[in-house]
Amino acid sequence: MVPVEKNKEYEVEIVDNGFEGEGIAKISDFTIFIPGAIKGERCKILIVKVNKTFAFGKLLEVCTKSKYRVEVDCATYKRCGGCSLRHIQYEETLKLKRDMVQNLVTKTLNTKINVKDTIGMQEPFHYRNKLQYPVGYDKTNKPVMGVYANRTHEIIPVESCLIQNKEAEEVAKAVFEFIKENKITVYNEQTRKGAIRHIIVRIGARTNEIMCILVTNEEKIEKENELVDAISKKFPQVKTIVKNINKKNTNVILGDTNVILSGNGYIYDKLGEYTFKISPMSFYQTNPIQTEVLYQKAIAFAKLDKDDILCDLYCGIGTIGIFASSKVKQVYGIEIVEEAVEAARENAKINKVDNIEFIAGDVEKAFKELVETRGVKPTAIIVDPPRRGLDTTTISKILEIAVDKFVYVSCNPATMVRDLKMLEEKYEVKEMQPVDMFPFTSHVECCSVLYLKN
Ligand SMILES: C[S@@+](CC[C@H](N)C(=O)[O-])C[C@H]1O[C@@H](n2cnc3c(N)ncnc32)[C@H](O)[C@@H]1O
């Protein structure tokens, strides 16, 4: 029998923190998740949802505070849900993230390795190089730009976001002001009418070059040229403005068509000693400072040498492969987004890297083809898949070809550990290093190294 009732208050001890940083309490062994509560605290809660095996509670009062609780410094924190760990001291969030990965390892893997301490940031603020704010109408039918309230499509205005790049935010605000002043229509999700759906701003943190993307539901934006002129004049660092047309009734932000309104349609950024071209559709890590840390770790873990044939699977615009190119004989990068592959090829040229080849395709097929049809014999593999992790065909292929060095970079430790469990058939997991790419959010990036057994 479920020992708690909806809409009833309880006083509980927080015994742990869950995967999204939420507090976990037990009443007669029944689990209650409480966002905003910290392990070690005693809290008054209101039960808001009850399932068969667990319930959700709303934090009403913290009776005994954790020594790690801090004043929240963000006005939209409670509703936005982006930085779900803002109420916890930064150093402690790093420990929480490490423990989260350790729990997964201990539960799932045969090798009970000790996960390393999370590498944090010196200044965990304004680290994002990509801002994407939805635009729509508020409850009073006024245009609004901001962030979606947690788990809803209501847009709450954002004055200043503590994790966004400040300049990028200024550009977004100026675009939105222009939209309001000139009565350019904004998108209404219910009627599916109105033009502007999202304002996206990408910035090269090292080059200071800015790309602005206006995601629109209509082919033509009213006063489009005036908007471009005003923004380019006010912000000379805006190197390109792109109109992205998305008429679909979908949560996917970008549509398939890009129209360049000013500049070349791309910007450059630098990582380490390399320059990278970034285009609207390509994936580029959002925290450039920690990206360098992550790549250096991944490459050091791989212990690459001059004879190595390295495969960089899910290579995006070729960043990891290019970073590693000087250490190995040859690199092959595989990536599904054509535009990213084109950028990767150009990035290799820009950086005068000539021992790298990029292949456009689904890793599931293209990697198999590379090995079976072309007879390429990789000696090292670095994978950096999207959140869903690796597919089983690729895992089987990695097991079959049994490379000496295998590094798994992941933004989702749960799927990473799931995949590593299968790879344990032939590999031993040696090290696991969490890197804090997304400070104050519950996300954690992780890098693991595996060596072939025997
Ligand atoms: C987490 S990103 C990593 C990109 C790159 N390694 C980096 O650090 O910037 C994952 C990449 O995998 C690509 N991708 C997703 N599914 C894929 C698939 N089935 N085959 C090949 N690439 C895929 C995405 O487009 C994205 O560029």
Side-chain angles (χ1 to χ4, degrees), residues 227-255:
L227 170 57
V228 169
D229 286 347
I231 297 303
S232 310
K233 205 164 154 203
K234 187 159 187 197
F235 302 98
Q237 62 276 44
V238 173
K239 298 292 173 206
T240 189
I241 302 180
V242 177
K243 176 169 65 177
N244 174 275
I245 301 166
N246 185 0
K247 294 185 181 181
K248 289 191 191 140
N249 185 14
T250 164
N251 285 343
V252 179
I253 296 177
L254 287 172

Side-chain angles (χ1 to χ4, degrees), residues 283 285 294-295 297-299 301-302 304 309-316 319-321 324 331-335 362-364 367-368 370 378-399 401 403 405-412 415-420 423 427 433 445-450:
F283 177 89
Q285 299 283 358
L294 177 76
Y295 288 178
K297 272 283 159 207
I299 290 164
F301 271 170
L304 298 169
I309 307 287
L310 170 69
C311 281
D312 173 13
L313 303 185
Y314 309 88
C315 67
T319 41
I320 296 181
V331 186
Y332 295 93
I334 301 179
E335 162 63 44
D362 187 334
V363 164
E364 185 170 7
F367 180 54
K368 201 164 169 266
L370 182 74
T379 56
I381 298 175
I382 300 181
V383 299
D384 183 7
R387 290 187 68 74
R388 65 174 179 276
L390 300 176
D391 60 84
T392 46
T393 315
T394 304
I395 294 180
S396 305
K397 201 81 221 152
I398 294 167
L399 283 169
I401 61 175
V403 289
K405 307 149 185 181
F406 178 82
V407 175
Y408 196 131
V409 177
S410 165
C411 57
N412 185 352
T415 53
M416 177 186 73
V417 169
R418 176 203 68 196
D419 296 345
L420 295 186
L423 290 165
Y427 290 89
Q433 175 68 69
E445 190 85 15
C446 211
C447 180
S448 304
V449 61
L450 284 79

